Amino acid sequence: GAVVSQHPSRVICKSGTSVKIECRSLDFQATTMFWYRQFPKQSLMLMATSNEGSKATYEQGVEKDKFLINHASLTLSTLTVTSAHPEDSSFYICSARDVSFQAFFGQGTRLTVV
Amino acid sequence: DAKTTQPPSMDCAEGRAANLPCNHSTISGNEYVYWYRQIHSQGPQYIIHGLKNNETNEMASLIITEDRKSSTLILPHATLRDTAVYYCIVRAGMDSSYKLIFGSGTRLLVRP
């Protein structure tokens, strides 16, 4: 199957700082990418849908100024957690959709805010 | 969006078949059933999907009832590495705009 790479896999940051997470589709072009968040022992929660060259669409209850999404190319989307706080600590997962509308997931990024 | 219902947990013995049920009684005629699994601290892995016919690939088989209100994922010979959370998802939206909404899934434990 197609490969989606996320970087970094783990990050620890201080409260109040911003963190950027990258999501790349390595062997296919992805016009649409998705960002999820997962708390311990819970399911994945869709945060936003990102389309190349346009603004992301956020799910209800997700702060767009807090979680900045950029999808500048067909192979790269970034999620920036701004002014991070301990409650933002979570497992963030991206997904990229190929031309057959199949979705492939990255390996996830564990964010810890101290 | 059609919702799915899965048992929270199941277990099976290594080498035996694992049959994971999913109820999606409100599914629409053009909605696909997808199965993903998530091994601890990793991203979800695609397993299989189908519309109305039964499907089989190298990982699993998907049996969809004739009325499409439920389906079963079958892992024919479960191994310890199949221990994971399995998610049954009904694809929401038209082809170009669909998004995958995850339910709570079934935690499968494969016993030695």
Side-chain angles (χ1 to χ4, degrees):
Chain A
V3 178
V4 175
S5 176
Q6 255 183 269
H7 179 81
S9 57
R10 285 178 184 272
V11 59
I12 301 173
C13 72
K14 291 185 177 179
S15 190
T17 62
S18 296
V19 174
K20 181 185 283 188
I21 302 170
E22 292 188 348
C23 179
R24 292 180 186 274
S25 56
L26 296 187
D27 48 2
F28 67 99
Q29 293 184 329
T31 54
T32 304
M33 289 187 175
F34 304 91
W35 287 95
Y36 294 83
R37 179 162 67 173
Q38 185 176 34
F39 291 108
K41 301 197 175 182
Q42 294 187 23
S43 184
L44 285 77
M45 184 194 81
L46 180 65
M47 298 174 68
T49 301
S50 131
N51 292 298
E52 186 263 337
S54 63
K55 289 184 179 179
T57 303
Y58 290 80
E59 296 296 306
Q60 192 171 10
V62 178
E63 300 174 63
K64 61 181 179 183
D65 295 329
K66 172 83 174 167
F67 300 99
L68 301 179
I69 292 172
N70 184 278
H71 193 162
S73 78
L74 287 171
T75 59
L76 174 65
S77 176
T78 59
L79 168 68
T80 301
V81 182
T82 62
S83 186
H85 287 97
E87 56 266 30
D88 298 324
S89 298
S90 189
F91 192 51
Y92 292 86
I93 305 168
C94 73
S95 172
R97 196 167 69 192
D98 70 5
V99 292
S100 68
F101 306 121
Q102 190 75 288
F104 300 93
F105 288 80
Q107 68 271 40
T109 297
R110 186 160 303 283
L111 170 64
T112 303
V113 185
V114 297
Chain B
D1 300 345
K3 297 195 186 305
T4 62
T5 304
Q6 297 177 254
S9 64
M10 295 182 66
D11 68 82
C12 75
E14 188 178 18
R16 305 298 294 268
N19 298 287
L20 292 92
C22 179
N23 183 289
H24 32 79
S25 58
T26 59
I27 193 170
S28 300
N30 62 350
E31 291 181 313
Y32 285 76
V33 180
Y34 277 75
W35 283 84
Y36 283 79
R37 73 180 181 184
Q38 186 180 25
I39 295 169
H40 183 63
S41 293
Q42 296 182 24
Q45 177 189 23
Y46 166 80
I47 301 173
I48 200 167
H49 74 282
L51 182 63
K52 58 175 81 171
N53 297 324
N54 297 336
E55 302 288 344
T56 295
N57 63 20
E58 63 278 4
M59 288 183 70
S61 293
L62 174 61
I63 307 298
I64 303 174
T65 58
E66 196 168 334
D67 63 9
R68 302 210 325 124
K69 293 185 177 183
S70 65
S71 60
T72 301
L73 179 75
I74 301 172
L75 307 178
H77 305 287
T79 70
L80 299 181
R81 285 181 292 184
D82 292 322
T83 291
V85 179
Y86 287 76
Y87 296 99
C88 166
I89 302 167
V90 173
R91 195 173 78 185
M94 301 301 288
D95 276 350
S96 63
S97 65
Y98 86 84
K99 49 190 179 183
L100 294 176
I101 306 297
F102 285 75
S104 51
T106 295
R107 188 172 297 275
L108 175 67
L109 173 64
V110 180
R111 296 177 277 102

PDB file of all heavy atoms in Angstrom, chain B residues 18-44:
ATOM      1  N   ALA B  18     -10.831 -15.454  13.712  1.00  0.00           N
ATOM      2  CA  ALA B  18     -11.439 -14.375  14.505  1.00  0.00           C
ATOM      3  C   ALA B  18     -12.546 -13.755  13.668  1.00  0.00           C
ATOM      4  O   ALA B  18     -12.305 -13.351  12.526  1.00  0.00           O
ATOM      5  CB  ALA B  18     -10.395 -13.330  14.870  1.00  0.00           C
ATOM      6  N   ASN B  19     -13.757 -13.739  14.219  1.00  0.00           N
ATOM      7  CA  ASN B  19     -14.904 -13.178  13.521  1.00  0.00           C
ATOM      8  C   ASN B  19     -15.374 -11.934  14.255  1.00  0.00           C
ATOM      9  O   ASN B  19     -15.900 -12.026  15.357  1.00  0.00           O
ATOM     10  CB  ASN B  19     -16.046 -14.197  13.456  1.00  0.00           C
ATOM     11  CG  ASN B  19     -15.663 -15.447  12.691  1.00  0.00           C
ATOM     12  OD1 ASN B  19     -15.557 -15.431  11.473  1.00  0.00           O
ATOM     13  ND2 ASN B  19     -15.419 -16.520  13.418  1.00  0.00           N
ATOM     14  N   LEU B  20     -15.182 -10.787  13.650  1.00  0.00           N
ATOM     15  CA  LEU B  20     -15.529  -9.532  14.296  1.00  0.00           C
ATOM     16  C   LEU B  20     -16.784  -8.944  13.658  1.00  0.00           C
ATOM     17  O   LEU B  20     -16.774  -8.593  12.483  1.00  0.00           O
ATOM     18  CB  LEU B  20     -14.374  -8.534  14.185  1.00  0.00           C
ATOM     19  CG  LEU B  20     -13.112  -8.897  14.981  1.00  0.00           C
ATOM     20  CD1 LEU B  20     -12.146  -9.700  14.133  1.00  0.00           C
ATOM     21  CD2 LEU B  20     -12.437  -7.657  15.505  1.00  0.00           C
ATOM     22  N   PRO B  21     -17.864  -8.826  14.442  1.00  0.00           N
ATOM     23  CA  PRO B  21     -19.118  -8.318  13.882  1.00  0.00           C
ATOM     24  C   PRO B  21     -19.210  -6.795  13.928  1.00  0.00           C
ATOM     25  O   PRO B  21     -18.568  -6.141  14.751  1.00  0.00           O
ATOM     26  CB  PRO B  21     -20.165  -8.941  14.803  1.00  0.00           C
ATOM     27  CG  PRO B  21     -19.464  -9.006  16.137  1.00  0.00           C
ATOM     28  CD  PRO B  21     -18.007  -9.245  15.840  1.00  0.00           C
ATOM     29  N   CYS B  22     -20.042  -6.278  13.034  1.00  0.00           N
ATOM     30  CA  CYS B  22     -20.304  -4.833  13.012  1.00  0.00           C
ATOM     31  C   CYS B  22     -21.739  -4.617  12.561  1.00  0.00           C
ATOM     32  O   CYS B  22     -22.180  -5.188  11.570  1.00  0.00           O
ATOM     33  CB  CYS B  22     -19.337  -4.152  12.056  1.00  0.00           C
ATOM     34  SG  CYS B  22     -19.591  -2.350  11.932  1.00  0.00           S
ATOM     35  N   ASN B  23     -22.440  -3.792  13.281  1.00  0.00           N
ATOM     36  CA  ASN B  23     -23.810  -3.444  12.911  1.00  0.00           C
ATOM     37  C   ASN B  23     -23.834  -2.038  12.331  1.00  0.00           C
ATOM     38  O   ASN B  23     -23.294  -1.105  12.928  1.00  0.00           O
ATOM     39  CB  ASN B  23     -24.706  -3.533  14.147  1.00  0.00           C
ATOM     40  CG  ASN B  23     -26.158  -3.246  13.824  1.00  0.00           C
ATOM     41  OD1 ASN B  23     -26.526  -2.104  13.533  1.00  0.00           O
ATOM     42  ND2 ASN B  23     -26.972  -4.273  13.855  1.00  0.00           N
ATOM     43  N   HIS B  24     -24.433  -1.920  11.157  1.00  0.00           N
ATOM     44  CA  HIS B  24     -24.572  -0.585  10.516  1.00  0.00           C
ATOM     45  C   HIS B  24     -25.954  -0.511   9.881  1.00  0.00           C
ATOM     46  O   HIS B  24     -26.092  -0.395   8.657  1.00  0.00           O
ATOM     47  CB  HIS B  24     -23.449  -0.329   9.495  1.00  0.00           C
ATOM     48  CG  HIS B  24     -22.952  -1.559   8.790  1.00  0.00           C
ATOM     49  ND1 HIS B  24     -23.614  -2.154   7.729  1.00  0.00           N
ATOM     50  CD2 HIS B  24     -21.838  -2.293   8.994  1.00  0.00           C
ATOM     51  CE1 HIS B  24     -22.940  -3.202   7.316  1.00  0.00           C
ATOM     52  NE2 HIS B  24     -21.853  -3.322   8.048  1.00  0.00           N
ATOM     53  N   SER B  25     -26.969  -0.582  10.709  1.00  0.00           N
ATOM     54  CA  SER B  25     -28.348  -0.718  10.247  1.00  0.00           C
ATOM     55  C   SER B  25     -28.870   0.504   9.490  1.00  0.00           C
ATOM     56  O   SER B  25     -29.870   0.401   8.788  1.00  0.00           O
ATOM     57  CB  SER B  25     -29.264  -1.022  11.433  1.00  0.00           C
ATOM     58  OG  SER B  25     -29.158  -0.003  12.398  1.00  0.00           O
ATOM     59  N   THR B  26     -28.214   1.660   9.623  1.00  0.00           N
ATOM     60  CA  THR B  26     -28.698   2.865   8.935  1.00  0.00           C
ATOM     61  C   THR B  26     -27.882   3.184   7.685  1.00  0.00           C
ATOM     62  O   THR B  26     -27.969   4.288   7.148  1.00  0.00           O
ATOM     63  CB  THR B  26     -28.667   4.072   9.887  1.00  0.00           C
ATOM     64  OG1 THR B  26     -27.322   4.267  10.341  1.00  0.00           O
ATOM     65  CG2 THR B  26     -29.575   3.845  11.092  1.00  0.00           C
ATOM     66  N   ILE B  27     -27.140   2.234   7.209  1.00  0.00           N
ATOM     67  CA  ILE B  27     -26.277   2.461   6.051  1.00  0.00           C
ATOM     68  C   ILE B  27     -27.120   2.792   4.813  1.00  0.00           C
ATOM     69  O   ILE B  27     -28.217   2.259   4.622  1.00  0.00           O
ATOM     70  CB  ILE B  27     -25.386   1.226   5.798  1.00  0.00           C
ATOM     71  CG1 ILE B  27     -24.278   1.549   4.809  1.00  0.00           C
ATOM     72  CG2 ILE B  27     -26.230   0.034   5.345  1.00  0.00           C
ATOM     73  CD1 ILE B  27     -23.227   0.449   4.710  1.00  0.00           C
ATOM     74  N   SER B  28     -26.598   3.697   3.995  1.00  0.00           N
ATOM     75  CA  SER B  28     -27.280   4.056   2.750  1.00  0.00           C
ATOM     76  C   SER B  28     -26.764   3.185   1.608  1.00  0.00           C
ATOM     77  O   SER B  28     -25.713   2.565   1.713  1.00  0.00           O
ATOM     78  CB  SER B  28     -27.027   5.527   2.417  1.00  0.00           C
ATOM     79  OG  SER B  28     -27.510   6.366   3.428  1.00  0.00           O
ATOM     80  N   GLY B  29     -27.532   3.208   0.507  1.00  0.00           N
ATOM     81  CA  GLY B  29     -27.215   2.313  -0.594  1.00  0.00           C
ATOM     82  C   GLY B  29     -25.856   2.525  -1.229  1.00  0.00           C
ATOM     83  O   GLY B  29     -25.278   1.587  -1.782  1.00  0.00           O
ATOM     84  N   ASN B  30     -25.330   3.734  -1.176  1.00  0.00           N
ATOM     85  CA  ASN B  30     -24.055   4.005  -1.830  1.00  0.00           C
ATOM     86  C   ASN B  30     -22.900   4.119  -0.849  1.00  0.00           C
ATOM     87  O   ASN B  30     -21.824   4.592  -1.217  1.00  0.00           O
ATOM     88  CB  ASN B  30     -24.156   5.283  -2.672  1.00  0.00           C
ATOM     89  CG  ASN B  30     -24.469   6.494  -1.819  1.00  0.00           C
ATOM     90  OD1 ASN B  30     -24.794   6.361  -0.640  1.00  0.00           O
ATOM     91  ND2 ASN B  30     -24.359   7.674  -2.390  1.00  0.00           N
ATOM     92  N   GLU B  31     -23.096   3.725   0.380  1.00  0.00           N
ATOM     93  CA  GLU B  31     -22.039   3.823   1.387  1.00  0.00           C
ATOM     94  C   GLU B  31     -21.271   2.510   1.505  1.00  0.00           C
ATOM     95  O   GLU B  31     -21.866   1.441   1.577  1.00  0.00           O
ATOM     96  CB  GLU B  31     -22.615   4.228   2.743  1.00  0.00           C
ATOM     97  CG  GLU B  31     -23.121   5.674   2.767  1.00  0.00           C
ATOM     98  CD  GLU B  31     -23.660   6.065   4.123  1.00  0.00           C
ATOM     99  OE1 GLU B  31     -24.449   5.294   4.703  1.00  0.00           O
ATOM    100  OE2 GLU B  31     -23.302   7.151   4.603  1.00  0.00           O
ATOM    101  N   TYR B  32     -19.949   2.626   1.534  1.00  0.00           N
ATOM    102  CA  TYR B  32     -19.077   1.476   1.669  1.00  0.00           C
ATOM    103  C   TYR B  32     -18.805   1.178   3.144  1.00  0.00           C
ATOM    104  O   TYR B  32     -18.809   2.079   3.982  1.00  0.00           O
ATOM    105  CB  TYR B  32     -17.736   1.752   0.989  1.00  0.00           C
ATOM    106  CG  TYR B  32     -17.771   1.686  -0.520  1.00  0.00           C
ATOM    107  CD1 TYR B  32     -18.320   2.724  -1.274  1.00  0.00           C
ATOM    108  CD2 TYR B  32     -17.234   0.605  -1.207  1.00  0.00           C
ATOM    109  CE1 TYR B  32     -18.342   2.672  -2.653  1.00  0.00           C
ATOM    110  CE2 TYR B  32     -17.253   0.546  -2.582  1.00  0.00           C
ATOM    111  CZ  TYR B  32     -17.811   1.580  -3.301  1.00  0.00           C
ATOM    112  OH  TYR B  32     -17.830   1.513  -4.659  1.00  0.00           O
ATOM    113  N   VAL B  33     -18.506  -0.074   3.421  1.00  0.00           N
ATOM    114  CA  VAL B  33     -18.049  -0.490   4.741  1.00  0.00           C
ATOM    115  C   VAL B  33     -16.541  -0.687   4.678  1.00  0.00           C
ATOM    116  O   VAL B  33     -16.037  -1.428   3.831  1.00  0.00           O
ATOM    117  CB  VAL B  33     -18.716  -1.807   5.188  1.00  0.00           C
ATOM    118  CG1 VAL B  33     -18.196  -2.209   6.573  1.00  0.00           C
ATOM    119  CG2 VAL B  33     -20.227  -1.662   5.201  1.00  0.00           C
ATOM    120  N   TYR B  34     -15.824   0.007   5.558  1.00  0.00           N
ATOM    121  CA  TYR B  34     -14.374  -0.105   5.640  1.00  0.00           C
ATOM    122  C   TYR B  34     -13.977  -0.719   6.976  1.00  0.00           C
ATOM    123  O   TYR B  34     -14.630  -0.494   7.996  1.00  0.00           O
ATOM    124  CB  TYR B  34     -13.726   1.286   5.550  1.00  0.00           C
ATOM    125  CG  TYR B  34     -13.551   1.815   4.153  1.00  0.00           C
ATOM    126  CD1 TYR B  34     -14.637   2.296   3.424  1.00  0.00           C
ATOM    127  CD2 TYR B  34     -12.291   1.849   3.553  1.00  0.00           C
ATOM    128  CE1 TYR B  34     -14.469   2.789   2.137  1.00  0.00           C
ATOM    129  CE2 TYR B  34     -12.120   2.336   2.274  1.00  0.00           C
ATOM    130  CZ  TYR B  34     -13.212   2.805   1.571  1.00  0.00           C
ATOM    131  OH  TYR B  34     -13.037   3.283   0.300  1.00  0.00           O
ATOM    132  N   TRP B  35     -12.891  -1.463   6.947  1.00  0.00           N
ATOM    133  CA  TRP B  35     -12.298  -1.974   8.183  1.00  0.00           C
ATOM    134  C   TRP B  35     -10.843  -1.532   8.256  1.00  0.00           C
ATOM    135  O   TRP B  35     -10.087  -1.684   7.298  1.00  0.00           O
ATOM    136  CB  TRP B  35     -12.388  -3.502   8.248  1.00  0.00           C
ATOM    137  CG  TRP B  35     -13.743  -4.014   8.599  1.00  0.00           C
ATOM    138  CD1 TRP B  35     -14.796  -4.222   7.743  1.00  0.00           C
ATOM    139  CD2 TRP B  35     -14.200  -4.407   9.898  1.00  0.00           C
ATOM    140  NE1 TRP B  35     -15.875  -4.709   8.440  1.00  0.00           N
ATOM    141  CE2 TRP B  35     -15.532  -4.842   9.769  1.00  0.00           C
ATOM    142  CE3 TRP B  35     -13.612  -4.449  11.168  1.00  0.00           C
ATOM    143  CZ2 TRP B  35     -16.300  -5.298  10.842  1.00  0.00           C
ATOM    144  CZ3 TRP B  35     -14.353  -4.898  12.234  1.00  0.00           C
ATOM    145  CH2 TRP B  35     -15.691  -5.322  12.069  1.00  0.00           C
ATOM    146  N   TYR B  36     -10.499  -0.984   9.413  1.00  0.00           N
ATOM    147  CA  TYR B  36      -9.120  -0.630   9.724  1.00  0.00           C
ATOM    148  C   TYR B  36      -8.770  -1.262  11.056  1.00  0.00           C
ATOM    149  O   TYR B  36      -9.655  -1.607  11.858  1.00  0.00           O
ATOM    150  CB  TYR B  36      -8.955   0.895   9.852  1.00  0.00           C
ATOM    151  CG  TYR B  36      -8.904   1.639   8.543  1.00  0.00           C
ATOM    152  CD1 TYR B  36     -10.075   1.922   7.843  1.00  0.00           C
ATOM    153  CD2 TYR B  36      -7.694   2.050   8.005  1.00  0.00           C
ATOM    154  CE1 TYR B  36     -10.031   2.618   6.633  1.00  0.00           C
ATOM    155  CE2 TYR B  36      -7.641   2.735   6.800  1.00  0.00           C
ATOM    156  CZ  TYR B  36      -8.812   3.013   6.127  1.00  0.00           C
ATOM    157  OH  TYR B  36      -8.765   3.686   4.929  1.00  0.00           O
ATOM    158  N   ARG B  37      -7.486  -1.388  11.333  1.00  0.00           N
ATOM    159  CA  ARG B  37      -7.073  -1.813  12.665  1.00  0.00           C
ATOM    160  C   ARG B  37      -5.929  -0.922  13.134  1.00  0.00           C
ATOM    161  O   ARG B  37      -5.194  -0.347  12.335  1.00  0.00           O
ATOM    162  CB  ARG B  37      -6.653  -3.280  12.684  1.00  0.00           C
ATOM    163  CG  ARG B  37      -5.316  -3.586  12.029  1.00  0.00           C
ATOM    164  CD  ARG B  37      -5.039  -5.058  12.129  1.00  0.00           C
ATOM    165  NE  ARG B  37      -3.740  -5.408  11.540  1.00  0.00           N
ATOM    166  CZ  ARG B  37      -3.312  -6.663  11.434  1.00  0.00           C
ATOM    167  NH1 ARG B  37      -4.042  -7.667  11.874  1.00  0.00           N
ATOM    168  NH2 ARG B  37      -2.121  -6.904  10.904  1.00  0.00           N
ATOM    169  N   GLN B  38      -5.817  -0.846  14.456  1.00  0.00           N
ATOM    170  CA  GLN B  38      -4.784  -0.010  15.042  1.00  0.00           C
ATOM    171  C   GLN B  38      -4.077  -0.802  16.126  1.00  0.00           C
ATOM    172  O   GLN B  38      -4.674  -1.179  17.137  1.00  0.00           O
ATOM    173  CB  GLN B  38      -5.384   1.270  15.638  1.00  0.00           C
ATOM    174  CG  GLN B  38      -4.323   2.246  16.142  1.00  0.00           C
ATOM    175  CD  GLN B  38      -4.912   3.508  16.732  1.00  0.00           C
ATOM    176  OE1 GLN B  38      -6.051   3.517  17.200  1.00  0.00           O
ATOM    177  NE2 GLN B  38      -4.136   4.605  16.710  1.00  0.00           N
ATOM    178  N   ILE B  39      -2.821  -1.055  15.844  1.00  0.00           N
ATOM    179  CA  ILE B  39      -1.973  -1.693  16.838  1.00  0.00           C
ATOM    180  C   ILE B  39      -1.460  -0.585  17.753  1.00  0.00           C
ATOM    181  O   ILE B  39      -1.248   0.544  17.310  1.00  0.00           O
ATOM    182  CB  ILE B  39      -0.830  -2.467  16.146  1.00  0.00           C
ATOM    183  CG1 ILE B  39      -1.441  -3.614  15.339  1.00  0.00           C
ATOM    184  CG2 ILE B  39       0.190  -2.983  17.143  1.00  0.00           C
ATOM    185  CD1 ILE B  39      -0.487  -4.315  14.399  1.00  0.00           C
ATOM    186  N   HIS B  40      -1.250  -0.925  18.988  1.00  0.00           N
ATOM    187  CA  HIS B  40      -0.950   0.067  20.012  1.00  0.00           C
ATOM    188  C   HIS B  40       0.089   1.086  19.571  1.00  0.00           C
ATOM    189  O   HIS B  40       1.157   0.732  19.107  1.00  0.00           O
ATOM    190  CB  HIS B  40      -0.478  -0.638  21.288  1.00  0.00           C
ATOM    191  CG  HIS B  40      -0.217   0.288  22.422  1.00  0.00           C
ATOM    192  ND1 HIS B  40      -1.201   1.065  22.990  1.00  0.00           N
ATOM    193  CD2 HIS B  40       0.918   0.587  23.070  1.00  0.00           C
ATOM    194  CE1 HIS B  40      -0.689   1.783  23.949  1.00  0.00           C
ATOM    195  NE2 HIS B  40       0.608   1.513  24.025  1.00  0.00           N
ATOM    196  N   SER B  41      -0.284   2.381  19.722  1.00  0.00           N
ATOM    197  CA  SER B  41       0.631   3.503  19.465  1.00  0.00           C
ATOM    198  C   SER B  41       1.099   3.589  18.012  1.00  0.00           C
ATOM    199  O   SER B  41       2.185   4.092  17.741  1.00  0.00           O
ATOM    200  CB  SER B  41       1.854   3.435  20.385  1.00  0.00           C
ATOM    201  OG  SER B  41       1.460   3.652  21.715  1.00  0.00           O
ATOM    202  N   GLN B  42       0.279   3.074  17.099  1.00  0.00           N
ATOM    203  CA  GLN B  42       0.580   3.228  15.676  1.00  0.00           C
ATOM    204  C   GLN B  42      -0.624   3.844  14.970  1.00  0.00           C
ATOM    205  O   GLN B  42      -1.707   3.929  15.538  1.00  0.00           O
ATOM    206  CB  GLN B  42       0.906   1.875  15.047  1.00  0.00           C
ATOM    207  CG  GLN B  42       2.155   1.210  15.606  1.00  0.00           C
ATOM    208  CD  GLN B  42       2.455  -0.094  14.900  1.00  0.00           C
ATOM    209  OE1 GLN B  42       2.046  -0.316  13.763  1.00  0.00           O
ATOM    210  NE2 GLN B  42       3.179  -0.972  15.570  1.00  0.00           N
ATOM    211  N   GLY B  43      -0.428   4.258  13.737  1.00  0.00           N
ATOM    212  CA  GLY B  43      -1.549   4.738  12.952  1.00  0.00           C
ATOM    213  C   GLY B  43      -2.401   3.585  12.455  1.00  0.00           C
ATOM    214  O   GLY B  43      -1.934   2.454  12.379  1.00  0.00           O
ATOM    215  N   PRO B  44      -3.658   3.827  12.137  1.00  0.00           N
ATOM    216  CA  PRO B  44      -4.522   2.759  11.642  1.00  0.00           C
ATOM    217  C   PRO B  44      -4.002   2.161  10.332  1.00  0.00           C
ATOM    218  O   PRO B  44      -3.397   2.858   9.519  1.00  0.00           O
ATOM    219  CB  PRO B  44      -5.867   3.465  11.424  1.00  0.00           C
ATOM    220  CG  PRO B  44      -5.831   4.633  12.341  1.00  0.00           C
ATOM    221  CD  PRO B  44      -4.400   5.072  12.348  1.00  0.00           C
TER     222      PRO B  44
END
